[in-house]
Amino acid sequence: FGSSDADVHLLLCHFPRALDFVPAGRWDLILSGHLHAGQIVLPYGSGALLLAHPSSRYRRGVYARRGTTMHLSPGLGTTFLPFRYFARPEATELVLRCSQ
């Protein structure tokens, strides 16, 4: 993890909590997974209760923090139980464009 002349610094990290710990501005983009969008989700009122990782700060989507953007994919798979409930699987296609 030395210095790099690359135009984009990309981190592939299974665990989305990495966004809380990476040095500010070290990575331009983090691609993460792990939570399966909760896998088993109980809808209630205007919210939802994730049975897997109920207190997770990051569930799915795009997050930005201290100069780093993270995309958290719900993915296609499952863990422990071979099904999903109110947690739609997703195959994500990301298109990266230069800001200039």
Side-chain angles (χ1 to χ4, degrees):
F1 294 112
S3 64
S4 170
D5 293 334
D7 291 335
V8 176
H9 295 97
L10 174 67
L11 175 63
L12 301 175
C13 185
H14 188 75
F15 299 99
R17 290 271 332 265
L19 185 60
D20 295 334
F21 300 104
V22 296
R26 171 63 179 94
W27 302 102
D28 297 307
L29 178 62
I30 297 175
L31 300 178
S32 186
H34 181 62
L35 300 177
H36 305 279
Q39 187 171 333
I40 300 172
V41 178
L42 300 178
Y44 71 93
S46 63
L49 173 64
L50 278 70
L51 294 185
H53 312 283
S55 62
S56 177
R57 168 187 276 181
Y58 309 113
R59 295 182 175 195
R60 63 179 297 174
V62 177
Y63 300 88
R65 188 163 192 220
R66 302 179 325 177
T68 299
T69 300
M70 177 179 71
H71 178 266
L72 174 54
S73 171
L76 297 171
T78 60
T79 186
F80 299 115
L81 300 172
F83 65 89
R84 290 177 180 244
Y85 186 75
F86 284 103
R88 296 185 72 162
E90 176 182 293
T92 307
E93 177 181 357
L94 298 175
V95 178
L96 304 180
R97 294 196 159 99
C98 180
S99 63
Q100 299 174 348

